[in-house]
Amino acid sequence: MIGNRDKLPGEATPDVEKQQINARKWQIRWNFKEIAATDMMPASWQYDYVDVDELSKKNIKTAIIRTRYDHNDELGVINDQSVKPAAYQAYQDLRAEADVVIGKVL
């Protein structure tokens, strides 16, 4: 999912953020890109995010993978790795990105 929040004055580009949304939900944010200010809107950050019920490696990784692949698509990419190596590499790149995010959150 893609989110957006205002940029604070003098704020450097965030790396990874986690925010507790309520007693049972956390939001994990990464891949921040600055959106320049316009006459109508202040500068902001656009980012990828997932919501998880528990801060665990398994939950965060699954949530990040589900941003691009449902369960059946994931199995298809894995099963077709020899005939569609580029698609499999994109899947592995997403898993690696998830591991980096997890390392910065937990």
Side-chain angles (χ1 to χ4, degrees), residues 13-32:
T13 305
D15 194 17
V16 172
E17 294 180 343
K18 70 178 176 182
Q19 179 181 8
Q20 191 164 12
I21 304 300
N22 59 40
R24 295 184 179 163
K25 195 160 296 267
W26 290 84
Q27 188 171 93
I28 310 298
R29 303 172 185 146
W30 74 99
N31 198 22
F32 284 81

Side-chain angles (χ1 to χ4, degrees), residues 1-2 30-33 47-50 60-78 86-99 101:
M1 298 172 80
I2 296 177
W30 74 99
N31 198 22
F32 284 81
K33 295 180 181 109
Y47 52 83
D48 295 320
Y49 77 93
V50 292
I60 296 169
K61 192 166 201 168
T62 299
I64 291 173
I65 290 170
R66 292 294 169 259
T67 64
R68 296 199 195 140
Y69 303 93
D70 69 19
H71 181 73
N72 291 331
D73 290 339
E74 182 179 15
L75 291 176
V77 168
I78 292 167
Y88 183 70
Q89 186 58 54
Y91 169 72
Q92 290 300 331
D93 292 345
L94 180 61
R95 287 175 49 85
E97 181 180 359
D99 285 336
V101 171

